[in-house]
């Protein structure tokens, strides 16, 4: 939700800022803006427009974009419709301060009322403008410096924010602050960068400071970054070296990030398993389990909290952990859990799954569970993000940055970590027999190769997808481990093609969805040869009797379903618990191709954002 970039140094700021915004556009893309202090006139130039970063570029083509200091923003609207007035940066009435913001100021209405009472005039409908007006009002009415005014203003603010502020009177300083929304300071040679994540900075430096909640960074040209809290106490922060490289965040010849990320999955899973899966000795090593045996081996239960695609991975995790470890597991939407007064104690372990590591609801669920004594295990992708930093321990999925808004490689990475977690824990608890343990490890090791095989089906999936672009509704069915796959397939389709799609456990079809089935509603069925195969075959017969078209995901060589289905995609054979890693791939490809055929913006679907840092 909203991307923030900042620069101060010896280069021209604008090119750095715009490139950075493009890297952060996955966070929000309904409007964009930039503020620069001109090296020609010393004026504070603010340019903003509705639309994407490319629209901003067109808008500034005849403007003064000089300056070696600037801040820029790409927006996902919360308060106020997406238009150029509500776009950031916002400027204070005096015209001296420009501010960009990611997050929500919850008490903005009462602050706005107070400021209007003092004669402050507002131009936009945003909560952000309230903040910049408040800071300027405090500064001028109390005649104090900008830092003190920021500290005082933030003390009266309720909500979440990452902000950066420019002061026209001081072209050598940016002030930035964070609470519950991510912010990273990049440190170069005589230059500094700001970013919502490290991707806008890595071209220039790999040295970063991840700001913590309550931090205010004072970045002065030619000096060391100073980090203070609201009471002006100076804080020490480690400088971290980031390992991102440029190739990881560029499209590499693919037309969209989503397709690139679908195709990266075999390599991603190898990275995810590297050093953890040892086929020679038949063992899985997760250091977080070894180091925390006393908390992890015998909990009363596991509670998995997550949102969106990560919640689907959690449903697979439940089956894995209960099946292998014989410990009860519940799966909760983080957004519900955080307000539910859950009965948890220090005997429970909460697993938080989040690709971005920044999802506000998941982070709040973690804080709640922690406050009640639960031990927290994080499964995240973004290194150094807020959730891994708030958990007691965890395992990164190591699939590299995911840019496409529709999650693909993160899902298979999450499932892979959950498989490793369940196996390692079951082994440590003695609840899995050696033969089964070794079999699943060996199979897991072959998954990247089998994924390659699946990816070869891309052209065929594209052909199949073309046929189904007419549909307004889709049903996805699966059972057991493949029920969450059905949910994920439906989510992918609706996210990027805007076709209504629902996922169901196949047997539930008769309790409602069957009423919708007719020749206009294609049904995707995952019908692999496992314990419930015969039952799913009966479901397919029921669907065909109602004249719907069936797209089936089947085990290699299945002639029974092939004879009934309108289109079939075969999966290489594997053990049942690993089928989701393969069955998801054609569903991702299908969603992608349907959306492309319909001319939709695959990487930046309407109304969505990659990292949901607000409630
Ligand atoms: C957003 C994204 C989804 C993602 C969900 C949870 O809705 O568009 O792709 O699954 O957030 O995100 P997380 O980063 O916590 O996994």
């Amino acid at each position: 939700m909203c991307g923030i970039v900042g620069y101060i140094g010896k280069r021209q700021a604008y090119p750095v800022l715009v490139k950075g915004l493009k890297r952060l556009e996955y966070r929000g893309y309904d409007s964009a803006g930039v503020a620069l202090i001109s090296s020609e006139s010393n004026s504070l130039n603010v340019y903003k427009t509705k639309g994407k970063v490319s629209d901003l570029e067109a808008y500034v083509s005849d403007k003064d974009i000089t300056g070696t200091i600037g801040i820029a923003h790409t927006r996902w609207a919360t308060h106020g419709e997406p238009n150029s007035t509500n776009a950031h940066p916002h400027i204070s009435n005096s015209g001296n301060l420009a501010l960009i913001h990611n997050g929500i100021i919850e008490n903005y209405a009462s602050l706005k009322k107070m400021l209007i009472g003092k004669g402050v005039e507002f131009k936009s409908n945003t909560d952000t403008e309230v903040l910049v007006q408040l800071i300027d009002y405090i500064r001028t009415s109390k005649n104090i410096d900008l830092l003190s005014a920021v500290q005082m203003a933030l003390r009266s603010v309720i909500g979440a924010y990452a902000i950066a502020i420019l002061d026209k009177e001081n072209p050598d300083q940016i002030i930035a602050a964070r609470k519950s929304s991510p912010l990273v300071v990049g440190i170069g040679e005589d230059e500094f960068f700001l970013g919502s994540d490290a991707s806008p900075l890595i071209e220039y430096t790999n040295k970063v400071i991840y700001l913590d909640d309550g931090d205010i960074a004072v970045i002065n040209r030619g000096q060391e970054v100073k980090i203070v809290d609201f009471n002006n106490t100076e804080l020490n922060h480690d400088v971290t070296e980031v390992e991102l490289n440029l190739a990881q965040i560029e499209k590499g010849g693919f037309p969209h990030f989503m397709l690139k990320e679908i195709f990266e999955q075999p390599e991603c899973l190898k990275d995810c398993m590297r050093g953890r899966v040892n086929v020679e000795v038949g063992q899985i090593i997760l250091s977080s389990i070894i180091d925390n045996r006393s908390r992890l081996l015998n909990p009363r239960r596991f509670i998995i909290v997550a949102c969106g695609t990560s919640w689907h991975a959690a449903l697979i995790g439940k089956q894995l952990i209960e099946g292998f470890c014989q410990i009860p597991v519940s799966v909760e939407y983080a957004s519900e859990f955080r307000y539910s007064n859950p009965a948890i104690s220090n005997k429970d372990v909460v697993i938080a799954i989040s690709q971005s590591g920044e999802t506000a609801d998941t982070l709040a669920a973690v804080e709640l569970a922690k406050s009640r004594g639960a031990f927290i295990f994080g499964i995240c992708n973004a290194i150094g993000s807020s959730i891994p930093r708030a958990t007691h321990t965890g395992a990164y999925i190591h699939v590299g940055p995911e840019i496409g808004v529709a999650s693909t490689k993160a899902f298979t990475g999450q499932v892979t970590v959950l498989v490793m977690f369940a196996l390692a824990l079951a082994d440590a608890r003695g609840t899995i027999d050696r033969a089964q343990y070794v079999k699943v490890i060996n199979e897991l090791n072959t998954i990247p190769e089998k994924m390659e095989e699946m990816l070869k089906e891309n052209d065929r999936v594209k052909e199949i997808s073309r046929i189904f672009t007419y549909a307004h509704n889709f049903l996805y069915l699966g059972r057991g481990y493949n029920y969450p796959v059905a949910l994920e397939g439906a989510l992918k389709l609706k996210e990027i093609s805007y076709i209504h799609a629902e996922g169901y456990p196949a047997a539930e079809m008769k309790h409602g969805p069957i009423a919708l089935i007719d020749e206009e509603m294609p049904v995707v069925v995952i019908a692999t040869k496992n314990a419930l195969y015969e039952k799913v075959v009966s479901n397919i017969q029921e669907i065909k009797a109602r004249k719907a078209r069936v797209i089936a995901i089947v085990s290699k060589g299945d002639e029974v379903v092939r004879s009934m289905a309108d289109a079939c995609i075969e999966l290489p054979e594997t053990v049942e618990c690993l089928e989701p890693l393969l069955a998801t791939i054609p569903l991702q490809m299908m969603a992608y191709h349907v959306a492309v055929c319909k001319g939709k913006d695959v990487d930046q679907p309407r109304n969505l954002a990659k990292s949901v840092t607000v409630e």
Side-chain angles (χ1 to χ4, degrees):
M1 308 254 131
C2 304
I4 284 181
V5 199
Y7 178 78
I8 177 166
K10 52 204 178 209
R11 302 169 203 256
Q12 283 298 303
Y14 176 77
V16 177
L17 296 173
V18 157
K19 211 179 222 183
L21 283 188
K22 286 190 176 157
R23 300 244 159 89
L24 291 178
E25 214 168 10
Y26 70 88
R27 300 178 66 88
Y29 32 80
D30 59 41
S31 45
V34 59
L36 299 153
I37 300 179
S38 163
S39 10
E40 283 173 5
S41 62
N42 281 337
S43 58
L44 175 63
N45 291 326
V46 175
Y47 308 118
K48 43 194 201 169
T49 181
K50 183 179 169 173
K52 302 204 171 193
V53 178
S54 51
D55 297 303
L56 178 68
E57 285 181 290
Y59 179 69
V60 302
S61 59
D62 56 349
K63 311 270 191 306
D64 171 12
I65 48 167
T66 63
T68 55
I69 177 169
I71 53 177
H73 187 265
T74 176
R75 180 170 186 242
W76 186 89
T78 56
H79 296 69
E81 66 170 284
N83 59 29
S84 57
T85 312
N86 289 335
H88 303 208
H90 288 280
I91 315 166
S92 62
N93 271 358
S94 67
N96 283 335
L97 300 185
L99 179 144
I100 52 176
H101 167 221
N102 169 27
I104 289 182
I105 308 300
E106 288 178 6
N107 59 336
Y108 82 103
S110 58
L111 293 171
K112 189 169 182 174
K113 198 168 159 205
M114 181 276 287
L115 288 166
I116 289 172
K118 306 281 183 196
V120 177
E121 283 171 22
F122 283 83
K123 294 175 210 75
S124 77
N125 303 319
T126 64
D127 53 339
T128 303
E129 191 187 352
V130 175
L131 196 50
V132 71
Q133 302 286 22
L134 180 66
I135 294 169
D136 209 12
Y137 173 74
I138 292 176
R139 182 166 78 154
T140 44
S141 62
K142 300 210 178 295
N143 197 19
I144 53 178
D145 65 13
L146 181 60
L147 174 60
S148 310
V150 170
Q151 287 164 325
M152 199 175 265
L154 292 182
R155 263 188 241 127
S156 58
V157 155
I158 301 168
Y161 51 80
I163 54 168
I165 311 162
L166 275 195
D167 178 1
K168 184 181 164 186
E169 309 280 281
N170 187 355
D172 296 321
Q173 184 183 71
I174 299 177
I175 292 184
R178 138 168 200 158
K179 188 181 163 225
S180 304
S181 288
L183 202 53
V184 183
V185 182
I187 301 166
E189 294 269 324
D190 293 327
E191 59 183 352
F192 299 100
F193 306 82
L194 271 176
S196 295
D197 66 31
S199 63
L201 336 171
I202 53 163
E203 206 165 329
Y204 315 99
T205 180
N206 65 350
K207 294 193 177 55
V208 303
I209 296 174
Y210 291 102
L211 295 184
D212 287 328
D213 280 352
D215 286 355
I216 301 174
V218 184
I219 307 169
N220 284 319
R221 201 188 292 274
Q223 297 178 19
E224 291 207 344
V225 177
K226 189 167 105 178
I227 298 170
V228 294
D229 64 13
F230 291 179
N231 301 317
N232 221 18
T233 308
E234 207 158 322
L235 307 164
N236 283 327
H237 273 61
D238 291 338
V239 175
T240 309
E241 293 209 355
V242 279
E243 285 171 13
L244 279 179
N245 64 51
L246 271 186
Q248 287 177 301
I249 55 170
E250 284 175 354
K251 282 189 203 148
F254 284 89
H256 297 99
F257 280 110
M258 183 178 175
L259 192 62
K260 174 184 175 237
E261 286 159 6
I262 290 173
F263 272 80
E264 277 174 352
Q265 289 177 103
E267 282 310 308
C268 289
L269 289 213
K270 284 185 201 161
D271 290 341
C272 179
M273 290 190 266
R274 189 160 295 128
R276 292 165 163 175
V277 176
N278 188 335
V279 184
E280 277 75 48
V281 295
Q283 204 184 8
I284 299 226
I285 299 156
L286 280 186
S287 54
S288 45
I289 295 188
I290 297 169
D291 296 344
N292 296 283
R293 286 173 67 95
S294 63
R295 293 306 301 263
L296 290 172
L297 250 52
N298 291 300
R300 185 172 65 161
R301 63 177 170 152
F302 284 102
I303 302 154
I304 315 184
V305 293
C307 304
T309 289
S310 300
W311 186 81
H312 296 156
L315 294 177
I316 296 172
K318 171 183 164 71
Q319 297 183 52
L320 288 163
I321 297 169
E322 289 194 337
F324 291 147
C325 309
Q326 293 299 298
I327 300 170
V329 181
S330 59
V331 175
E332 307 279 347
Y333 285 115
S335 53
E336 290 295 314
F337 178 85
R338 66 180 288 190
Y339 291 114
S340 66
N341 191 17
I344 45 175
S345 72
N346 59 4
K347 296 192 181 72
D348 299 314
V349 173
V350 167
I351 301 176
I353 308 181
S354 173
Q355 185 284 128
S356 63
E358 299 293 350
T359 301
D361 287 323
T362 311
L363 187 56
V366 164
E367 297 298 354
L368 170 66
K370 228 162 70 171
S371 73
R372 298 198 177 186
F375 187 72
I376 321 286
F377 189 99
I379 298 179
C380 296
N381 190 32
I383 314 276
S385 53
S386 302
I387 293 172
R389 287 192 288 145
T391 52
H392 295 110
T393 187
Y396 281 113
I397 62 174
H398 291 308
V399 299
E402 191 181 65
I403 315 280
V405 165
S407 186
T408 52
K409 62 179 182 173
F411 177 73
T412 45
Q414 290 162 346
V415 173
T416 303
V417 165
L418 286 161
V419 171
M420 293 190 289
F421 179 85
L423 285 174
L425 197 64
D427 183 41
R429 282 169 53 80
T431 51
I432 187 168
D433 74 68
R434 178 82 195 151
Q436 192 192 7
Y437 178 64
V438 171
K439 185 170 181 203
V440 183
I441 291 177
N442 287 338
E443 271 301 317
L444 187 59
N445 195 46
T446 67
I447 290 291
E449 209 179 296
K450 291 175 179 169
M451 277 183 158
E452 297 282 6
E453 237 180 279
M454 293 300 319
L455 291 168
K456 290 193 187 125
E457 295 289 305
N458 186 43
D459 286 343
R460 228 169 57 77
V461 176
K462 186 173 172 182
E463 283 313 305
I464 296 170
S465 307
R466 246 191 253 280
I467 306 168
F468 291 97
T469 46
Y470 69 87
H472 296 292
N473 298 288
F474 258 84
L475 187 62
Y476 284 70
L477 301 175
R479 292 198 72 166
Y481 282 106
N482 288 321
Y483 156 53
V485 176
L487 294 179
E488 177 59 10
L491 179 66
K492 285 293 84 86
L493 187 75
K494 75 181 125 195
E495 280 179 319
I496 58 172
S497 70
Y498 318 143
I499 294 174
H500 169 244
E502 285 194 60
Y504 259 89
E508 280 296 300
M509 181 181 82
K510 57 188 169 296
H511 299 294
I514 199 164
L516 301 171
I517 295 177
D518 62 15
E519 60 275 15
E520 296 200 352
M521 187 181 207
V523 185
V524 179
V525 189
I526 304 141
T528 46
K529 282 207 172 139
N530 53 39
L532 297 167
Y533 171 72
E534 302 295 343
K535 297 179 194 297
V536 177
V537 170
S538 304
N539 293 135
I540 296 176
Q541 270 156 351
E542 289 156 12
I543 298 162
K544 286 313 296 174
R546 283 152 187 89
K547 300 197 167 42
R549 297 217 200 171
V550 169
I551 305 155
I553 314 291
V554 297
S555 303
K556 204 170 236 163
D558 183 330
E559 291 306 325
V560 177
V561 176
R562 182 175 291 279
S563 68
M564 294 187 278
D566 299 82
C568 259
I569 298 156
E570 289 190 341
L571 288 193
E573 222 170 280
T574 188
V575 288
E576 198 171 337
C577 66
L578 302 182
E579 277 181 1
L581 293 171
L582 301 176
T584 306
I585 293 198
L587 304 189
Q588 294 170 343
M589 295 193 292
M590 197 173 105
Y592 171 80
H593 290 300
V594 170
V596 171
C597 280
K598 289 175 77 83
K600 304 298 179 204
D601 188 343
V602 172
D603 283 335
Q604 295 174 349
R606 72 181 181 206
N607 303 340
L608 298 181
K610 182 92 192 136
S611 176
V612 184
T613 53
V614 296
E615 275 194 56

